[in-house]
Protein backbone atom coordinates (compact mmCIF):
# COMPACT_ATOMS: atom_id res chain seq x y z
CA UNK A 1 0.00 0.00 0.00
CA UNK A 2 1.47 3.35 -0.95
CA UNK A 3 1.81 6.36 1.29
CA UNK A 4 -1.22 8.31 -0.05
CA UNK A 5 -3.48 5.33 0.65
CA UNK A 6 -2.08 4.97 4.16
CA UNK A 7 -2.68 8.69 4.72
CA UNK A 8 -6.22 8.42 3.39
CA UNK A 9 -6.93 5.39 5.58
CA UNK A 10 -5.69 7.06 8.72
CA UNK A 11 -7.46 10.32 7.98
CA UNK A 12 -10.77 8.64 7.19
CA UNK A 13 -10.83 6.27 10.16
CA UNK A 14 -9.89 9.08 12.54
CA UNK A 15 -12.70 11.28 11.28
CA UNK A 16 -15.22 8.47 11.62
CA UNK A 17 -13.97 7.63 15.10
CA UNK A 18 -14.32 11.18 16.45
CA UNK A 19 -17.67 11.71 14.80
CA UNK A 20 -19.28 8.42 15.86
CA UNK A 21 -17.75 7.03 19.06
CA UNK A 22 -17.98 10.01 21.47
CA UNK A 23 -21.66 10.58 20.65
CA UNK A 24 -22.81 6.97 20.92
CA UNK A 25 -20.68 6.75 24.08
CA UNK A 26 -22.77 9.58 25.54
CA UNK A 27 -25.99 7.87 24.45
CA UNK A 28 -25.04 4.66 26.21
CA UNK A 29 -24.05 6.44 29.41
CA UNK A 30 -27.56 7.88 29.58
CA UNK A 31 -29.21 4.60 28.56
CA UNK A 32 -27.32 2.39 31.00
CA UNK A 33 -27.72 4.81 33.89
CA UNK A 34 -31.48 4.90 33.33
CA UNK A 35 -31.43 1.11 33.26
CA UNK A 36 -29.48 0.48 36.49
CA UNK A 37 -30.25 3.56 38.61
CA UNK A 38 -32.95 1.40 40.19
CA UNK A 39 -30.12 -0.20 42.16
CA UNK A 40 -29.27 3.15 43.76
CA UNK A 41 -32.94 4.00 44.30
CA UNK A 42 -33.27 0.72 46.21
CA UNK A 43 -31.21 2.16 49.07
CA UNK A 44 -34.32 4.15 50.11
CA UNK A 45 -37.08 3.02 47.76
CA UNK A 46 -37.29 -0.54 49.06
CA UNK A 47 -38.07 0.68 52.56
CA UNK A 48 -40.48 3.40 51.39
CA UNK A 49 -42.50 0.96 49.28
CA UNK A 50 -41.97 -2.08 51.56
CA UNK A 51 -40.27 -4.14 48.86
CA UNK A 52 -38.82 -7.53 49.84
CA UNK A 53 -35.48 -8.64 48.37
CA UNK A 54 -37.13 -11.11 45.99
CA UNK A 55 -39.62 -8.45 44.89
CA UNK A 56 -36.84 -5.98 44.14
CA UNK A 57 -34.96 -8.68 42.21
CA UNK A 58 -38.04 -9.33 40.08
CA UNK A 59 -38.63 -5.60 39.51
CA UNK A 60 -35.00 -5.27 38.41
CA UNK A 61 -35.18 -8.19 36.04
CA UNK A 62 -38.61 -7.68 34.46
CA UNK A 63 -37.11 -4.90 32.33
CA UNK A 64 -35.39 -7.59 30.29
CA UNK A 65 -38.60 -9.46 29.48
CA UNK A 66 -39.97 -6.42 27.64
CA UNK A 67 -36.55 -5.93 26.09
CA UNK A 68 -36.46 -9.55 24.90
CA UNK A 69 -39.91 -9.51 23.29
CA UNK A 70 -39.31 -6.38 21.19
CA UNK A 71 -35.56 -6.63 20.53
CA UNK A 72 -35.50 -8.28 17.10
CA UNK A 73 -38.43 -6.30 15.59
CA UNK A 74 -36.81 -3.09 16.82
CA UNK A 75 -33.45 -3.88 15.24
CA UNK A 76 -35.05 -4.84 11.94
CA UNK A 77 -36.89 -1.51 11.92
CA UNK A 78 -33.64 0.34 12.70
CA UNK A 79 -31.99 -1.31 9.70
CA UNK A 80 -34.93 -0.26 7.50
CA UNK A 81 -35.73 3.28 8.69
CA UNK A 82 -32.21 4.29 9.76
CA UNK A 83 -30.36 4.72 13.04
CA UNK A 84 -30.97 8.47 13.26
CA UNK A 85 -34.77 8.25 13.46
CA UNK A 86 -35.06 5.00 15.37
CA UNK A 87 -32.47 5.68 18.09
CA UNK A 88 -34.00 9.14 18.62
CA UNK A 89 -37.40 7.45 19.06
CA UNK A 90 -35.98 4.96 21.53
CA UNK A 91 -34.40 7.67 23.67
CA UNK A 92 -37.49 9.87 23.77
CA UNK A 93 -39.76 7.01 24.82
CA UNK A 94 -37.47 5.61 27.49
CA UNK A 95 -36.89 9.08 28.96
CA UNK A 96 -40.64 9.48 29.44
CA UNK A 97 -40.94 6.06 31.15
CA UNK A 98 -38.02 6.80 33.51
CA UNK A 99 -39.68 10.03 34.62
CA UNK A 100 -42.98 8.24 35.20
CA UNK A 101 -41.16 5.74 37.43
CA UNK A 102 -40.68 8.56 39.95
CA UNK A 103 -44.40 8.46 40.71
CA UNK A 104 -44.76 4.70 41.32
CA UNK A 105 -46.61 3.94 44.55
CA UNK A 106 -46.25 0.17 44.83
CA UNK A 107 -44.55 -2.93 43.44
CA UNK A 108 -47.28 -3.52 40.85
CA UNK A 109 -46.74 -0.12 39.25
CA UNK A 110 -42.98 -0.68 39.24
CA UNK A 111 -43.46 -4.02 37.48
CA UNK A 112 -45.44 -2.32 34.72
CA UNK A 113 -43.07 0.64 34.36
CA UNK A 114 -39.92 -1.47 34.28
CA UNK A 115 -41.48 -3.76 31.67
CA UNK A 116 -42.42 -0.71 29.58
CA UNK A 117 -38.88 0.64 29.95
CA UNK A 118 -37.61 -2.61 28.44
CA UNK A 119 -40.08 -2.26 25.56
CA UNK A 120 -39.04 1.38 25.01
CA UNK A 121 -35.32 0.63 25.04
CA UNK A 122 -35.48 -2.60 23.03
CA UNK A 123 -33.15 -2.45 20.06
CA UNK A 124 -30.93 0.34 21.38
CA UNK A 125 -27.82 -1.68 22.22
CA UNK A 126 -27.87 -4.12 19.27
CA UNK A 127 -28.80 -1.16 17.07
CA UNK A 128 -25.64 0.64 18.11
CA UNK A 129 -23.57 -2.52 17.62
CA UNK A 130 -25.04 -2.81 14.12
CA UNK A 131 -24.41 0.89 13.53
CA UNK A 132 -20.72 0.44 14.38
CA UNK A 133 -20.45 -2.26 11.69
CA UNK A 134 -21.69 0.29 9.14
CA UNK A 135 -18.74 2.56 9.89
CA UNK A 136 -15.80 0.40 11.03
CA UNK A 137 -13.91 -2.43 9.38
CA UNK A 138 -13.57 -5.79 11.11
CA UNK A 139 -10.01 -5.16 12.29
CA UNK A 140 -11.11 -1.98 14.12
CA UNK A 141 -14.37 -3.23 15.57
CA UNK A 142 -13.24 -4.75 18.89
CA UNK A 143 -11.70 -1.45 19.94
CA UNK A 144 -14.73 0.50 18.69
CA UNK A 145 -17.09 -1.81 20.59
CA UNK A 146 -14.98 -1.58 23.75
CA UNK A 147 -14.67 2.20 23.62
CA UNK A 148 -18.43 2.46 23.14
CA UNK A 149 -19.05 -0.01 25.95
CA UNK A 150 -16.79 1.73 28.43
CA UNK A 151 -19.97 3.75 28.84
CA UNK A 152 -21.05 0.83 31.04
CA UNK A 153 -18.32 1.79 33.47
CA UNK A 154 -18.63 5.53 32.89
CA UNK A 155 -22.36 5.52 33.58
CA UNK A 156 -21.69 4.01 36.99
CA UNK A 157 -18.63 6.16 37.67
CA UNK A 158 -20.76 9.23 36.97
CA UNK A 159 -24.11 7.82 38.05
CA UNK A 160 -23.13 6.31 41.40
CA UNK A 161 -22.15 9.59 43.12
CA UNK A 162 -24.70 11.64 41.15
CA UNK A 163 -27.66 9.37 41.90
CA UNK A 164 -26.86 8.98 45.58
CA UNK A 165 -26.14 12.71 45.96
CA UNK A 166 -29.55 13.54 44.49
CA UNK A 167 -31.16 11.07 46.87
CA UNK A 168 -29.44 12.62 49.89
CA UNK A 169 -29.85 16.30 48.99
CA UNK A 170 -32.90 16.88 46.78
CA UNK A 171 -36.38 16.54 48.23
CA UNK A 172 -38.12 19.43 46.52
CA UNK A 173 -41.85 19.75 47.05
CA UNK A 174 -41.81 17.01 49.65
CA UNK A 175 -40.92 14.38 47.00
CA UNK A 176 -38.41 11.77 48.17
CA UNK A 177 -34.86 11.97 46.83
CA UNK A 178 -35.06 8.65 44.98
CA UNK A 179 -38.10 9.95 43.09
CA UNK A 180 -36.28 13.12 42.06
CA UNK A 181 -33.40 10.94 40.89
CA UNK A 182 -35.65 9.31 38.29
CA UNK A 183 -37.02 12.67 37.14
CA UNK A 184 -33.65 14.38 36.82
CA UNK A 185 -31.97 11.39 35.14
CA UNK A 186 -34.85 10.83 32.71
CA UNK A 187 -34.75 14.35 31.29
CA UNK A 188 -31.34 13.99 29.52
CA UNK A 189 -32.66 11.03 27.48
CA UNK A 190 -35.41 13.23 26.06
CA UNK A 191 -33.10 16.15 25.30
CA UNK A 192 -30.35 14.03 23.73
CA UNK A 193 -33.00 12.10 21.80
CA UNK A 194 -33.86 15.32 19.97
CA UNK A 195 -30.16 16.01 19.31
CA UNK A 196 -29.72 12.46 17.97
CA UNK A 197 -32.28 13.06 15.23
CA UNK A 198 -30.18 15.91 13.82
CA UNK A 199 -26.67 14.67 14.63
CA UNK A 200 -26.42 11.01 13.60
CA UNK A 201 -25.64 10.05 10.01
CA UNK A 202 -27.23 6.77 8.96
CA UNK A 203 -24.60 5.57 6.46
CA UNK A 204 -21.20 6.60 5.06
CA UNK A 205 -22.93 7.44 1.77
CA UNK A 206 -24.73 10.29 3.54
CA UNK A 207 -21.73 11.65 5.46
CA UNK A 208 -21.39 15.29 4.42
CA UNK A 209 -18.66 15.66 7.05
CA UNK A 210 -16.36 13.33 5.04
CA UNK A 211 -14.48 14.53 1.98
CA UNK A 212 -15.38 12.82 -1.29
CA UNK A 213 -12.26 10.63 -1.42
CA UNK A 214 -12.63 9.69 2.24
CA UNK A 215 -16.24 8.72 1.71
CA UNK A 216 -15.44 6.67 -1.37
CA UNK A 217 -12.59 4.87 0.38
CA UNK A 218 -14.73 3.99 3.42
CA UNK A 219 -17.68 2.78 1.33
CA UNK A 220 -15.36 0.62 -0.76
CA UNK A 221 -13.67 -0.91 2.30
CA UNK A 222 -16.92 -1.76 4.09
CA UNK A 223 -18.43 -3.15 0.89
CA UNK A 224 -15.35 -5.28 0.26
CA UNK A 225 -15.73 -6.94 3.67
CA UNK A 226 -19.45 -7.52 3.12
CA UNK A 227 -18.73 -9.06 -0.28
CA UNK A 228 -16.16 -11.40 1.24
CA UNK A 229 -18.66 -12.60 3.86
CA UNK A 230 -21.26 -13.14 1.13
CA UNK A 231 -19.09 -15.34 -1.09
CA UNK A 232 -20.53 -18.58 0.26
CA UNK A 233 -24.11 -17.31 0.39
CA UNK A 234 -26.27 -14.78 2.20
CA UNK A 235 -28.08 -15.94 5.32
CA UNK A 236 -31.80 -15.21 5.28
CA UNK A 237 -33.50 -13.99 8.46
CA UNK A 238 -34.94 -17.48 8.99
CA UNK A 239 -31.49 -19.07 8.60
CA UNK A 240 -29.96 -16.62 11.07
CA UNK A 241 -32.65 -17.43 13.63
CA UNK A 242 -31.97 -21.17 13.25
CA UNK A 243 -28.18 -20.94 12.95
CA UNK A 244 -26.59 -22.98 15.81
CA UNK A 245 -23.54 -20.73 15.86
CA UNK A 246 -25.69 -17.66 16.53
CA UNK A 247 -27.44 -19.56 19.32
CA UNK A 248 -24.11 -20.57 20.83
CA UNK A 249 -23.06 -16.93 20.96
CA UNK A 250 -26.47 -16.13 22.48
CA UNK A 251 -25.91 -18.65 25.28
CA UNK A 252 -22.39 -17.36 25.88
CA UNK A 253 -23.74 -13.84 26.18
CA UNK A 254 -26.58 -14.98 28.45
CA UNK A 255 -24.20 -16.45 31.02
CA UNK A 256 -22.05 -13.30 31.01
CA UNK A 257 -25.02 -10.95 31.36
CA UNK A 258 -26.26 -12.88 34.41
CA UNK A 259 -23.07 -11.70 36.13
CA UNK A 260 -23.14 -8.19 34.67
CA UNK A 261 -26.57 -7.23 35.95
CA UNK A 262 -26.43 -9.34 39.08
CA UNK A 263 -23.51 -7.20 40.19
CA UNK A 264 -24.88 -4.00 38.63
CA UNK A 265 -28.23 -3.95 40.43
CA UNK A 266 -27.02 -5.30 43.78
CA UNK A 267 -23.60 -3.64 44.19
CA UNK A 268 -24.99 -0.59 46.08
CA UNK A 269 -26.89 -2.88 48.48
CA UNK A 270 -23.81 -5.06 49.00
CA UNK A 271 -21.71 -1.99 49.82
CA UNK A 272 -24.41 -0.60 52.11
CA UNK A 273 -24.24 -3.86 54.10
CA UNK A 274 -20.59 -3.14 55.00
CA UNK A 275 -21.61 -0.56 57.60
CA UNK A 276 -24.84 1.01 58.84
CA UNK A 277 -22.96 4.32 59.10
CA UNK A 278 -22.51 4.74 55.34
CA UNK A 279 -24.62 7.46 53.74
CA UNK A 280 -26.09 7.00 50.27
CA UNK A 281 -23.47 9.40 48.88
CA UNK A 282 -20.65 7.40 50.46
CA UNK A 283 -22.10 4.19 48.99
CA UNK A 284 -22.09 5.90 45.60
CA UNK A 285 -18.46 6.97 45.91
CA UNK A 286 -17.32 3.48 46.92
CA UNK A 287 -19.32 2.01 44.02
CA UNK A 288 -17.13 3.96 41.59
CA UNK A 289 -14.01 1.93 42.41
CA UNK A 290 -14.88 -1.35 40.60
CA UNK A 291 -16.17 0.52 37.56
CA UNK A 292 -13.04 2.67 37.18
CA UNK A 293 -10.92 -0.49 37.21
CA UNK A 294 -13.29 -2.28 34.83
CA UNK A 295 -13.42 0.57 32.33
CA UNK A 296 -9.64 0.97 32.07
CA UNK A 297 -8.97 -2.74 31.65
CA UNK A 298 -11.79 -3.06 29.14
CA UNK A 299 -10.07 -0.65 26.73
CA UNK A 300 -6.61 -2.19 27.18
CA UNK A 301 -7.87 -5.74 26.64
CA UNK A 302 -9.79 -4.82 23.47
CA UNK A 303 -6.76 -3.01 22.05
CA UNK A 304 -4.69 -6.11 22.68
CA UNK A 305 -7.27 -8.27 20.91
CA UNK A 306 -7.30 -5.95 17.87
CA UNK A 307 -3.50 -5.75 17.80
CA UNK A 308 -3.02 -9.53 17.87
CA UNK A 309 -6.11 -10.38 15.79
CA UNK A 310 -6.94 -13.05 18.40
CA UNK A 311 -10.56 -13.35 19.61
CA UNK A 312 -11.19 -16.70 21.30
CA UNK A 313 -8.85 -16.49 24.31
CA UNK A 314 -9.51 -12.77 24.67
CA UNK A 315 -13.22 -13.58 24.96
CA UNK A 316 -12.77 -16.63 27.22
CA UNK A 317 -10.40 -15.37 29.93
CA UNK A 318 -12.44 -12.38 31.18
CA UNK A 319 -15.43 -14.41 32.49
CA UNK A 320 -13.00 -16.78 34.23
CA UNK A 321 -11.40 -13.81 35.99
CA UNK A 322 -14.87 -12.46 36.79
CA UNK A 323 -15.90 -15.77 38.37
CA UNK A 324 -12.80 -15.86 40.57
CA UNK A 325 -13.47 -12.30 41.72
CA UNK A 326 -17.07 -13.11 42.70
CA UNK A 327 -16.01 -16.26 44.55
CA UNK A 328 -13.37 -14.25 46.42
CA UNK A 329 -15.92 -11.60 47.36
CA UNK A 330 -18.29 -14.24 48.69
CA UNK A 331 -15.57 -15.87 50.80
CA UNK A 332 -14.51 -12.72 52.67
CA UNK A 333 -16.22 -10.61 55.30
CA UNK A 334 -13.57 -7.87 55.11
CA UNK A 335 -15.09 -4.88 53.26
CA UNK A 336 -11.74 -3.81 51.75
CA UNK A 337 -10.98 -7.28 50.39
CA UNK A 338 -14.57 -7.54 49.18
CA UNK A 339 -14.26 -4.33 47.15
CA UNK A 340 -10.95 -5.59 45.72
CA UNK A 341 -12.58 -8.87 44.68
CA UNK A 342 -15.63 -7.09 43.24
CA UNK A 343 -13.23 -4.88 41.27
CA UNK A 344 -11.51 -7.97 39.86
CA UNK A 345 -14.93 -9.41 38.98
CA UNK A 346 -15.92 -6.18 37.23
CA UNK A 347 -12.63 -6.12 35.29
CA UNK A 348 -13.34 -9.63 34.06
CA UNK A 349 -16.97 -8.98 33.13
CA UNK A 350 -16.29 -5.72 31.30
CA UNK A 351 -13.19 -6.93 29.43
CA UNK A 352 -15.32 -9.59 27.73
CA UNK A 353 -17.38 -7.20 25.60
CA UNK A 354 -14.92 -5.80 23.05
CA UNK A 355 -13.59 -9.14 21.76
CA UNK A 356 -17.00 -10.83 22.00
CA UNK A 357 -18.92 -8.31 19.91
CA UNK A 358 -16.34 -8.54 17.13
CA UNK A 359 -17.31 -12.19 16.61
CA UNK A 360 -20.78 -11.93 14.95
CA UNK A 361 -19.52 -9.41 12.40
CA UNK A 362 -16.91 -11.92 11.22
CA UNK A 363 -19.51 -14.18 9.62
CA UNK A 364 -22.75 -12.18 9.40
CA UNK A 365 -23.20 -9.77 6.51
CA UNK A 366 -24.74 -6.36 7.07
CA UNK A 367 -28.36 -7.44 6.50
CA UNK A 368 -28.17 -10.69 8.49
CA UNK A 369 -26.24 -8.94 11.27
CA UNK A 370 -29.32 -6.86 12.10
CA UNK A 371 -31.18 -10.04 13.04
CA UNK A 372 -28.21 -12.03 14.37
CA UNK A 373 -26.94 -9.34 16.72
CA UNK A 374 -30.48 -8.65 17.95
CA UNK A 375 -31.04 -12.36 18.67
CA UNK A 376 -27.74 -12.69 20.52
CA UNK A 377 -28.47 -9.60 22.58
CA UNK A 378 -32.11 -10.42 23.29
CA UNK A 379 -31.40 -13.99 24.42
CA UNK A 380 -28.33 -12.81 26.28
CA UNK A 381 -30.20 -10.06 28.07
CA UNK A 382 -32.58 -12.58 29.60
CA UNK A 383 -29.59 -13.06 31.88
CA UNK A 384 -30.39 -9.57 33.11
CA UNK A 385 -33.62 -11.02 34.46
CA UNK A 386 -32.03 -14.13 35.96
CA UNK A 387 -29.06 -12.46 37.71
CA UNK A 388 -30.84 -9.78 39.80
CA UNK A 389 -33.81 -12.04 40.55
CA UNK A 390 -31.67 -14.96 41.76
CA UNK A 391 -29.60 -12.75 44.05
CA UNK A 392 -32.83 -11.36 45.55
CA UNK A 393 -34.34 -14.82 45.88
CA UNK A 394 -31.23 -16.32 47.49
CA UNK A 395 -30.72 -13.30 49.74
CA UNK A 396 -34.27 -13.62 51.05
CA UNK A 397 -33.76 -17.32 51.68
CA UNK A 398 -30.32 -17.12 53.29
CA UNK A 399 -30.17 -13.58 54.66
CA UNK A 400 -26.97 -12.89 52.70
CA UNK A 401 -25.88 -12.01 49.17
CA UNK A 402 -22.98 -14.50 49.34
CA UNK A 403 -24.95 -17.40 47.85
CA UNK A 404 -26.08 -15.07 45.07
CA UNK A 405 -22.46 -14.21 44.28
CA UNK A 406 -21.61 -17.91 44.04
CA UNK A 407 -24.52 -18.39 41.63
CA UNK A 408 -23.19 -15.58 39.43
CA UNK A 409 -19.71 -17.10 39.50
CA UNK A 410 -21.05 -20.47 38.29
CA UNK A 411 -22.68 -18.74 35.32
CA UNK A 412 -19.40 -17.00 34.45
CA UNK A 413 -17.52 -20.31 34.65
CA UNK A 414 -20.04 -21.82 32.21
CA UNK A 415 -19.42 -18.81 29.95
CA UNK A 416 -15.68 -19.52 30.04
CA UNK A 417 -16.19 -23.19 29.13
CA UNK A 418 -18.55 -22.35 26.25
CA UNK A 419 -16.00 -20.00 24.70
CA UNK A 420 -12.82 -21.97 25.33
CA UNK A 421 -14.32 -25.13 23.78
CA UNK A 422 -15.00 -23.41 20.43
CA UNK A 423 -13.02 -25.41 17.90
CA UNK A 424 -10.04 -23.96 16.12
CA UNK A 425 -10.56 -23.17 12.47
CA UNK A 426 -8.95 -25.42 9.91
CA UNK A 427 -8.39 -23.92 6.48
CA UNK A 428 -11.68 -22.20 5.64
CA UNK A 429 -13.78 -24.30 8.00
CA UNK A 430 -14.53 -23.41 11.63
CA UNK A 431 -17.04 -24.44 14.18
CA UNK A 432 -18.65 -21.06 13.70
CA UNK A 433 -19.75 -21.80 10.16
CA UNK A 434 -23.00 -23.05 8.73
CA UNK A 435 -24.07 -25.30 5.88
CA UNK A 436 -26.71 -22.66 5.20
CA UNK A 437 -24.23 -20.08 4.14
CA UNK A 438 -22.64 -18.17 7.03
CA UNK A 439 -18.93 -18.81 7.39
CA UNK A 440 -15.79 -17.45 8.84
CA UNK A 441 -14.03 -18.67 5.74
CA UNK A 442 -14.33 -15.24 4.15
CA UNK A 443 -12.70 -13.72 7.18
CA UNK A 444 -9.89 -16.22 6.86
CA UNK A 445 -9.47 -15.31 3.21
CA UNK A 446 -9.05 -11.69 4.16
CA UNK A 447 -6.34 -12.43 6.70
CA UNK A 448 -8.64 -11.87 9.70
CA UNK A 449 -8.23 -14.53 12.36
CA UNK A 450 -11.71 -15.80 13.29
CA UNK A 451 -10.85 -16.43 16.95
CA UNK A 452 -7.25 -17.38 17.56
Amino acid sequence: MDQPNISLEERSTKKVFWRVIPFIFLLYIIAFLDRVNLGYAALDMNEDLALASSTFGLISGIFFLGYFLFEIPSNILLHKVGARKWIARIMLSWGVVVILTAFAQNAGQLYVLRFLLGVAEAGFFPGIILYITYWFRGKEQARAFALFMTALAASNIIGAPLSTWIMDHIQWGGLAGWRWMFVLEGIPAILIGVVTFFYLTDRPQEAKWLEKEEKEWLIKEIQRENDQKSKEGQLTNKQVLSNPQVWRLSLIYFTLVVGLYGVGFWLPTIIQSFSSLLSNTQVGLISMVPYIAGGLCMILWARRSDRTGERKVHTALPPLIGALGLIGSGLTSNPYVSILMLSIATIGIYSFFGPFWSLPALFLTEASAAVGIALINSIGNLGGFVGPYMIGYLKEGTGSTKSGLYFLSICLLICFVLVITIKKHASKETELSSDKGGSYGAAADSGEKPFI
Side-chain angles (χ1 to χ4, degrees):
M1 184 177 291
D2 56 24
Q3 185 62 36
N5 284 338
I6 293 175
S7 177
L8 176 60
E9 176 182 3
E10 292 176 349
R11 188 170 75 247
S12 303
T13 53
K14 184 176 293 186
K15 273 192 179 181
V16 170
F17 175 87
W18 287 109
R19 174 77 183 195
V20 172
I21 297 298
F23 189 73
I24 62 174
F25 176 84
L26 174 62
L27 296 184
Y28 202 33
I29 286 179
I30 296 170
F32 197 75
L33 178 57
D34 284 343
R35 185 184 297 187
V36 302
N37 58 9
L38 188 75
Y40 302 111
L43 299 173
D44 290 336
M45 178 187 70
N46 287 4
E47 183 177 352
D48 287 355
L49 301 184
L51 304 178
S53 294
S54 59
T55 303
F56 173 71
L58 184 57
I59 290 168
S60 302
I62 203 169
F63 164 92
F64 296 97
L65 296 184
Y67 200 90
F68 169 76
L69 292 173
F70 289 87
E71 181 91 320
I72 293 177
S74 181
N75 221 34
I76 292 173
L77 283 169
L78 181 144
H79 184 65
K80 289 183 177 180
V81 308
R84 181 175 63 90
K85 294 177 182 178
W86 198 245
I87 291 175
R89 192 284 305 164
I90 289 173
M91 297 194 67
L92 289 168
S93 57
W94 98 52
V96 170
V97 176
V98 170
I99 292 173
L100 290 176
T101 306
F103 303 98
Q105 299 299 315
N106 52 54
Q109 293 176 5
L110 283 172
Y111 287 140
V112 173
L113 287 164
R114 290 294 294 182
F115 179 83
L116 289 176
L117 184 63
V119 173
E121 195 181 324
F124 174 79
F125 176 80
I128 294 293
I129 295 295
L130 180 63
Y131 186 70
I132 287 174
T133 67
Y134 294 165
W135 292 90
F136 293 91
R137 296 172 297 174
K139 68 178 184 178
E140 298 147 356
Q141 286 177 5
R143 184 174 53 163
F145 292 144
L147 288 169
F148 158 62
M149 293 192 69
T150 51
L152 289 173
S155 66
N156 282 290
I157 294 169
I158 297 168
L162 175 63
S163 299
T164 50
W165 184 89
I166 291 172
M167 289 169 61
D168 280 344
H169 295 91
I170 297 181
Q171 289 91 29
W172 300 328
L175 207 62
W178 65 267
R179 296 183 184 275
W180 274 112
M181 182 200 69
F182 284 122
V183 173
L184 295 177
E185 293 181 357
I187 291 173
I190 296 174
L191 297 178
I192 299 299
V194 175
V195 174
T196 299
F197 182 81
F198 296 99
Y199 182 85
L200 277 190
T201 306
D202 285 330
R203 303 287 185 131
Q205 291 87 335
E206 302 162 15
K208 296 179 180 179
W209 40 272
L210 285 175
E211 295 178 10
K212 182 180 179 181
E213 62 175 351
E214 295 168 344
K215 186 188 302 185
E216 290 175 349
W217 174 85
L218 181 60
I219 293 170
K220 183 179 179 181
E221 286 291 299
I222 299 297
Q223 187 59 50
R224 178 180 61 81
E225 290 196 350
N226 278 326
D227 290 344
Q228 288 175 335
K229 287 180 283 188
S230 298
K231 281 181 180 179
E232 297 182 14
Q234 171 84 10
L235 283 174
T236 65
N237 288 348
K238 183 178 179 180
Q239 289 171 337
V240 172
L241 292 174
S242 62
N243 188 302
Q245 324 316 332
V246 173
W247 280 92
R248 184 185 183 113
L249 293 179
S250 300
L251 183 57
I252 289 169
Y253 197 52
F254 172 88
T255 54
L256 190 285
V257 170
V258 170
L260 172 69
Y261 287 108
V263 173
F265 281 112
W266 283 96
L267 182 61
T269 301
I270 292 171
I271 292 173
Q272 189 183 51
S273 69
F274 292 162
S275 172
S276 59
L277 300 178
L278 289 174
S279 68
N280 289 334
T281 302
Q282 289 171 325
V283 169
L285 292 172
I286 296 171
S287 297
M288 294 170 61
V289 176
Y291 296 115
I292 292 172
L296 291 173
C297 291
M298 184 182 193
I299 295 173
L300 295 175
W301 193 245
R303 283 182 175 175
R304 188 178 188 279
S305 179
D306 273 348
R307 187 174 66 251
T308 61
E310 198 283 328
R311 303 303 190 200
K312 177 180 172 180
V313 174
H314 281 82
T315 303
L317 285 182
L320 176 61
I321 293 169
L324 296 176
L326 291 175
I327 292 171
S329 179
L331 290 174
T332 184
S333 57
N334 184 303
Y336 298 103
V337 177
S338 183
I339 284 294
L340 175 62
M341 291 295 103
L342 286 170
S343 297
I344 291 173
T346 304
I347 287 170
I349 291 170
Y350 279 28
S351 295
F352 167 90
F353 289 107
F356 174 80
W357 279 114
S358 66
L359 302 183
L362 290 176
F363 73 109
L364 294 174
T365 58
E366 186 177 282
S368 59
V371 178
I373 290 172
L375 178 62
I376 293 166
N377 193 61
S378 59
I379 296 296
N381 269 297
L382 288 177
F385 173 83
V386 174
Y389 176 72
M390 286 303 298
I391 289 189
Y393 175 80
L394 293 170
K395 181 176 185 293
E396 193 164 299
T398 64
S400 170
T401 57
K402 292 182 183 297
S403 56
L405 293 176
Y406 297 144
F407 171 79
L408 301 185
S409 67
I410 291 171
C411 290
L412 293 180
L413 288 173
I414 293 172
C415 181
F416 164 74
V417 172
L418 286 171
V419 178
I420 205 66
T421 54
I422 292 173
K423 295 177 183 177
K424 297 181 180 181
H425 73 287
S427 181
K428 293 183 179 180
E429 299 297 324
T430 100
E431 187 183 72
L432 288 183
S433 64
S434 169
D435 292 337
K436 298 178 181 179
S439 175
Y440 282 103
D445 287 343
S446 67
E448 176 70 66
K449 298 179 181 178
F451 282 107
I452 57 176

